[in-house]
Amino acid sequence: DADVTQTPRNRITKTGKRIMLECSQTKGHDRMYWYRQDPGLGLRLIYYSFDVKDINKGEISDGYSVSRQAQAKFSLSLESAIPNQTALYFCATSDFTGGVNNEQFFGPGTRLTVL
Amino acid sequence: DQQVKQNSPSLSVQEGRISILNCDYTNSMFDYFLWYKKYPAEGPTFLISISSIKDKNEDGRFTVFLNKSAKHLSLHIVPSQPGDSAVYFCAASRGRGNTPLVFGKGTRLSVIA
């Protein structure tokens, strides 16, 4: 079973619609992250959470909101989707100690298209 | 302002030869550096890391070199294999587990058989 899961894997929606992307993890990590990937722009941080009561904005948080419902769940919402939010979205987790390699573990991604 | 830069969007290498991927950073507070590999339709997967107290770390065919004075790191893959064809991201952080990773834009490696 995958340690970090994302739903849905693909979503097509229309401008102005509200969309929620969900992330769940079974790794027992306390830290969770949302990134988006655009061609030629790499991975950019949207929001991150170091525990259930902690939410922090990343580099590109405008137009997005998040909710940390439990240690294992972190959802990303687009309140009113716009076409330039078309991208690949990745959830990631990490341990508060940084683990052996100070690494983050990524989910498989959600491909979102806003028409 | 980009803190982690990968200036080569793409690289093509013959199978069996060495692949060298480069990364530069501007923030002198970064002390952990990682390389991730990404295949299409999958999430990035961790490849290798190095802390600022070292200048080299090896794991099988993969070696990362860190030059702190130049704020530069490189990933060497020897020998390159067709399965290594992917996008490689360089990432950096301040502290261990304390701050999110900052990623470069990635380099697409193509290993030609």
Side-chain angles (χ1 to χ4, degrees):
Chain A
D1 286 341
D3 294 321
V4 184
T5 57
Q6 293 183 235
T7 56
R9 292 296 312 278
N10 289 282
R11 182 70 183 268
I12 299 174
T13 190
K14 295 182 178 179
T15 297
K17 293 292 187 180
R18 184 178 188 275
I19 295 295
M20 180 181 285
L21 308 183
E22 298 187 345
C23 176
S24 294
Q25 53 113 346
T26 58
K27 300 189 75 67
H29 290 164
D30 50 346
R31 302 183 176 204
M32 299 186 74
Y33 312 83
W34 276 104
Y35 292 87
R36 69 177 273 177
Q37 184 191 7
D38 298 275
L41 294 180
L43 291 159
R44 294 183 293 167
L45 183 65
I46 307 172
Y47 270 96
Y48 63 102
S49 169
F50 279 1
D51 64 41
V52 174
K53 296 182 180 180
D54 176 78
I55 300 289
N56 303 281
K57 291 183 178 180
E59 178 187 356
I60 52 164
S61 59
D62 287 348
Y64 301 94
S65 63
V66 291
S67 174
R68 185 81 182 266
Q69 301 95 322
Q71 188 196 35
K73 296 183 182 296
F74 193 36
S75 59
L76 176 72
S77 294
L78 288 68
E79 296 302 325
S80 179
I82 56 177
N84 77 358
Q85 291 177 314
T86 293
L88 268 172
Y89 289 84
F90 291 101
C91 174
T93 74
S94 68
D95 183 74
F96 77 98
T97 66
V100 175
N101 298 301
N102 201 41
E103 67 190 279
Q104 293 176 6
F105 297 83
F106 284 82
T110 294
R111 181 173 294 279
L112 177 66
T113 302
V114 184
L115 301 176
Chain B
D1 184 30
Q2 223 183 328
Q3 298 186 73
V4 178
K5 301 176 183 179
Q6 293 178 258
N7 292 320
S8 298
S10 63
L11 175 68
S12 289
V13 172
Q14 288 289 122
E15 181 180 6
R17 305 294 290 267
I18 184 171
S19 296
I20 300 176
L21 293 88
N22 294 304
C23 178
D24 297 294
Y25 61 96
T26 58
N27 190 337
S28 58
M29 300 296 289
F30 287 147
D31 54 4
Y32 279 92
F33 305 89
L34 299 86
W35 286 94
Y36 277 80
K37 178 178 181 179
K38 186 184 180 303
Y39 293 118
E42 295 182 11
T45 55
F46 170 77
L47 188 58
I48 191 168
S49 66
I50 188 167
S51 74
S52 58
I53 63 172
K54 295 185 176 182
D55 55 17
K56 177 182 174 181
N57 189 28
E58 284 183 81
D59 184 1
R61 297 186 296 116
F62 303 91
T63 303
V64 56
F65 295 91
L66 176 63
N67 182 333
K68 290 185 289 294
S69 61
K71 294 190 178 70
H72 176 83
L73 62 155
S74 60
L75 173 68
H76 293 212
I77 306 173
V78 183
S80 300
Q81 299 174 354
D84 296 329
S85 296
V87 177
Y88 289 79
F89 292 101
C90 173
S93 72
R94 292 166 36 209
R96 192 173 182 79
N98 291 330
T99 61
L101 296 175
V102 178
F103 285 84
K105 293 183 178 182
T107 296
R108 180 178 300 279
L109 173 66
S110 299
V111 180
I112 304 162

